[in-house]
C-alpha cells in the first residue's frame, strides 16, 4: 500500500494537495477537508469566515463559537443583561 505525505490527500490513485483557505491551517485529522480554521473563524463551504461576535461577548474556549461575558446571557444572536 501507500499513503500521501502531510498536506496531500488520496484521490483515486494519486496524491492531491490540500487547499487551505485564508485564515486556516493544515489538520492532522484523517477525515474532513484536511484543514481547520484559525481561532475566531468558522468553516463555511471551502472558506474560513470570521465569527460575528456580538457586543458583550467573546470567542469561546473552542475558538469556533462565542459566549456572553459574565453578567450577560445569550438571547438569539445577542447578549442581554441578566
Amino acid at each position: 500500500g501507500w499513503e500521501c505525505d502531510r498536506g496531500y490527500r488520496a484521490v483515486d490513485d494519486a496524491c492531491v494537495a490540500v487547499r487551505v483557505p485564508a485564515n486556516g491551517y493544515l489538520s492532522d485529522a484523517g477525515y474532513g477537508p484536511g484543514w481547520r480554521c484559525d481561532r475566531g473563524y468558522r468553516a463555511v463551504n471551502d472558506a474560513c469566515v470570521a465569527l460575528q461576535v456580538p457586543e458583550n461577548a467573546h470567542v469561546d474556549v473552542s475558538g469556533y463559537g462565542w459566549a456572553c461575558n459574565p453578567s450577560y446571557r445569550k438571547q438569539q444572536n445577542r447578549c442581554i443583561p441578566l
Side-chain angles (χ1 to χ4, degrees), residues 1-2 21 34 45 52 57 60 62 66 69 71 73 81:
W2 57 275
N45 299 321
Q52 298 299 312
D60 68 13
S62 75
W66 59 269
N69 294 338
S71 301
R73 68 179 172 86

Side-chain angles (χ1 to χ4, degrees), residues 15-81:
C15 292
V16 176
V18 172
R19 290 186 192 162
V20 179
N23 302 304
Y25 60 92
L26 279 175
S27 169
D28 288 330
Y31 56 90
W35 55 268
R36 292 189 57 132
C37 293
D38 293 336
R39 180 174 173 76
Y41 292 83
R42 63 185 178 87
V44 177
N45 299 321
D46 292 329
C48 292
V49 177
L51 290 175
Q52 298 299 312
V53 179
E55 187 175 351
N56 300 309
H58 58 276
V59 176
D60 68 13
V61 69
S62 75
Y64 303 111
W66 59 269
C68 293
N69 294 338
S71 301
Y72 291 86
R73 68 179 172 86
K74 195 177 223 180
Q75 184 178 59
Q76 296 175 330
N77 290 326
R78 62 191 180 122
C79 294
I80 61 172

